[in-house]
Amino acid sequence: MSDYQTAELNLLLSALEQPNKRLPQVRYSFSQRDFRDETAREIYGACVALLGGHTGVNDQEITADLQDRFGLQHSVTMRWIEVSAWPRAGLREDADFKTLLRRMGEVKQRYDTAAVMDKIQKSSSPGEITALAKQLEALERPQKSIADAARVNLSEYENVTQDKAPSLLPHSVWKGFIREGTLTLIAGESKAKKSWFALSLLQHAILCEPYLAKPMLKPSTGEQRRVFLMDFEMPRAALMSRWVALAGECEWEDRPVLFDKGRVSLECYRPLMTSSRDWLAYICDQVVACCNPGDVMLIDCLQPIMAGGDGNAAEVVRPLMAKLQSVADQTGAAVLLVDHFNKGEGQGKKRVSGSMAKVAAPDTIITLNSSAGLIEIQADLRMEAPCDPFCIEFRGYAFARVSEEEREERKAAAKDKGLREFVKKLPLGWFRDVEIAVNLGIHKDTARRRLQSCSEWVERKKKGTSYLYRKIPPPEPGT
């Protein structure tokens, strides 16, 4: 067996060590036709088909797929059975696997270039030489391989029935809001508790406990979820004080998970922001290197990582958001990005700052707005059913959902309290509403409305064409 055949098969075997994470990376880098070895091509095809199914990708399923298509005695099936018994490459580190992917890409390009050059040397037809020269140019600008990576294999979906269409969506992380492999923007006005909210969501994600009455599901891989925070704004002390305070609301037996270095990674970059670095590229590399399907990466917040780029310019914002979307899709991680609302006054105050490209790209947009002492949550969802706005409250160090009934009860209680305070200020004796308004320094219409709403504590009598009001004296002691 030649070196390239061995290399191609070893690449696939290494990918099968972590199929849900690494096979999408192989698919992103190579199409089926890029594999020159027939067995490697068919293994790749089987892996891609199984990746979109529900049985999982493993040696047994690949064997069954090849046997169904070619039969047990076919050379491809027999070769795969032999290859599957090889010692695995053991590329446990993501960086090693990425190096292998890059080397395979370089080998492929060298082979393809050499093959075209050989054809050019053997050709005597000017027309054929021109066509081959274009192929050589295309290899230097690999547009064809990019198109192959982007092309959808329609045959995988041909037999999916209409009622099963929703099952093609990525697995949920936070049901109804966030799915694996998606980008979520969390935005809000200043002091709307965006970072508190995002940290609380992160803790519920690692514990897989419901958040704001919505389930937090386990990863599709069945593995334990890991969560990552890359914070570019808060000092470490402030970040950890919030993390510890939020953790204090958890059950005591759950708390150790939130401080398990194997599952939780909190990184504070504020002291490093003076260095000149392409922070976006660094973040994308970290997502690819660290995240598996179902993991959660929180980036707080957008403004510091733009490195002076104009947040109002679509040509700056659009590729930035697209890169974050791409690494989320590539890894299957849920990537959460925190951002701010516009500052100042006017109609644009309660919307995400900067270019509209920010809100055009994410799969989910969650906004936090102050509302009568509460925080109103609005969600713009691409993959989920529409969600009506709802209110939450930061109670102690936990967020809780506030029902409509509770909101109405609070409004009534606040109104009742206001009216009682109004009655306490009324002078003793009978007065017209105008006189009461002057005495309290309020408008006469306001005084009239409040007096009419206080019938329980204020009595009224008619005198001529007008009414007189007085507050009902408290009952005498002992009566």
Side-chain angles (χ1 to χ4, degrees):
M1 187 179 295
S2 66
D3 290 341
Y4 83 81
Q5 290 173 307
T6 302
E8 289 180 351
L9 291 167
N10 268 326
L11 173 68
L12 294 171
L13 289 176
S14 297
L16 286 169
E17 291 178 5
Q18 297 181 32
N20 290 315
K21 178 177 183 179
R22 292 181 174 177
L23 283 175
Q25 296 180 42
V26 174
R27 188 178 183 182
Y28 181 82
S29 303
F30 302 101
S31 67
Q32 188 170 14
R33 70 185 71 177
D34 290 333
F35 290 85
R36 287 172 285 158
D37 178 70
E38 182 185 13
T39 301
R41 277 199 307 275
E42 298 304 333
I43 294 172
Y44 174 95
C47 288
V48 169
L50 291 168
L51 200 59
H54 302 287
T55 58
V57 187
N58 54 56
D59 291 5
Q60 293 75 21
E61 293 295 336
I62 294 172
T63 302
D65 179 86
L66 296 177
Q67 187 172 342
D68 288 344
R69 287 192 286 143
F70 301 108
L72 182 59
Q73 300 303 317
H74 193 277
S75 60
V76 168
T77 308
M78 297 298 291
R79 176 68 61 81
W80 159 247
I81 293 173
E82 174 191 344
V83 168
S84 64
W86 289 0
R88 300 298 161 102
L91 297 178
R92 299 292 181 185
E93 295 296 327
D94 292 307
D96 293 338
F97 184 72
K98 288 201 298 184
T99 299
L100 181 58
L101 274 176
R102 187 180 68 252
R103 288 176 179 171
M104 284 296 299
E106 293 169 353
V107 169
K108 174 187 176 299
Q109 185 163 2
R110 286 200 302 270
Y111 175 85
D112 291 343
T113 301
V116 173
M117 289 293 296
D118 183 60
K119 290 180 181 179
I120 291 175
Q121 291 175 0
K122 293 179 179 179
S123 177
S124 57
S125 166
E128 185 179 2
I129 291 174
T130 301
L132 290 169
K134 289 183 178 179
Q135 288 184 29
L136 193 61
E137 182 182 359
L139 284 171
E140 296 173 355
R141 298 181 292 100
Q143 298 173 350
K144 188 174 183 181
S145 61
I146 292 174
D148 285 343
R151 186 172 294 115
V152 175
N153 183 0
L154 294 177
S155 64
E156 295 178 15
Y157 307 96
E158 182 180 1
N159 297 319
V160 177
T161 58
Q162 185 182 45
D163 61 305
K164 296 294 184 183
S167 67
L168 299 176
L169 290 171
H171 185 73
S172 287
V173 176
W174 187 24
K175 192 169 184 179
F177 292 97
I178 298 173
R179 291 180 180 268
E180 294 180 0
T182 62
L183 175 63
T184 296
L185 183 68
I186 300 173
E189 59 190 315
S190 180
K191 310 302 180 184
K193 304 252 185 295
K194 299 181 296 295
S195 294
W196 284 100
F197 175 86
L199 287 175
S200 180
L201 192 155
L202 209 62
Q203 290 195 356
H204 282 77
I206 192 69
L207 296 172
C208 289
E209 290 186 348
Y211 189 50
L212 302 179
K214 291 287 186 178
M216 194 72 72
L217 304 183
K218 294 182 179 180
S220 59
T221 59
E223 302 291 331
Q224 290 183 324
R225 172 173 289 122
R226 296 176 300 159
V227 299
F228 304 86
L229 168 65
M230 301 178 72
D231 192 287
F232 294 86
E233 199 168 48
M234 279 192 288
R236 179 173 299 177
L239 170 63
M240 291 314 302
S241 69
R242 293 186 180 190
W243 187 264
V244 171
L246 289 167
E249 295 295 319
C250 300
E251 297 293 337
W252 186 253
E253 60 269 19
D254 292 333
R255 195 172 185 270
V257 180
L258 302 178
F259 298 88
D260 181 350
K261 292 187 293 184
R263 298 183 61 190
V264 177
S265 173
L266 306 180
E267 298 175 354
C268 180
Y269 289 88
R270 175 168 161 162
L272 307 176
M273 295 309 291
T274 55
S275 64
S276 178
R277 177 187 289 271
D278 185 345
W279 287 108
L280 177 63
Y282 176 77
I283 289 168
C284 291
D285 287 344
Q286 288 294 96
V287 175
V288 172
C290 299
C291 293
N292 292 323
D295 290 343
V296 180
M297 171 69 80
L298 171 61
I299 304 157
D300 191 358
C301 63
L302 177 61
Q303 190 275 329
I305 68 175
M306 294 191 65
D310 186 359
N312 294 303
E315 62 272 18
V316 173
V317 174
R318 188 175 292 113
L320 183 151
M321 302 297 283
K323 288 176 181 177
L324 292 173
Q325 273 188 310
S326 179
V327 293
D329 185 76
Q330 181 182 345
T331 60
V335 177
L336 315 181
L337 179 64
V338 177
D339 195 25
H340 300 285
F341 276 2
N342 285 321
K343 298 187 183 295
E345 303 298 330
Q347 291 184 341
K349 181 180 178 182
K350 289 187 176 292
R351 75 169 181 83
V352 179
S353 65
S355 170
M356 292 302 292
K358 281 186 187 178
V359 295
D363 302 288
T364 296
I365 301 171
I366 298 173
T367 55
L368 287 71
N369 294 277
S370 297
S371 176
L374 302 175
I375 302 169
E376 184 181 66
I377 301 291
Q378 295 186 11
D380 183 4
L381 309 166
R382 285 187 175 180
M383 295 191 185
E384 309 289 349
C387 173
D388 292 331
F390 60 93
C391 284
I392 62 174
E393 184 178 33
F394 197 40
R395 300 173 182 169
Y397 288 102
F399 288 91
R401 194 160 177 161
V402 180
S403 67
E404 285 297 321
E405 293 78 7
E406 189 175 355
R407 289 184 68 189
E408 292 302 321
E409 288 175 2
R410 292 188 183 194
K411 288 180 182 178
K415 182 179 179 181
D416 183 75
K417 181 180 179 181
L419 292 175
R420 286 179 181 272
E421 292 294 327
F422 169 75
V423 172
K424 284 182 181 180
K425 296 177 183 178
L426 291 179
L428 294 173
W430 292 93
F431 296 90
R432 291 184 300 144
D433 52 11
V434 175
E435 294 171 323
I436 291 174
V438 171
N439 184 277
L440 298 181
I442 59 178
H443 194 275
K444 63 178 183 179
D445 292 338
T446 303
R448 185 180 298 115
R449 285 195 301 271
R450 291 183 181 177
L451 287 165
Q452 291 171 353
S453 300
C454 295
S455 58
E456 185 179 349
W457 308 298
V458 174
E459 59 181 328
R460 183 180 72 166
K461 70 178 180 179
K462 192 167 186 179
K463 185 176 181 181
T465 59
S466 60
Y467 286 95
L468 296 179
Y469 300 86
R470 76 165 180 174
K471 61 180 176 182
I472 300 174
E476 294 293 332
T479 61

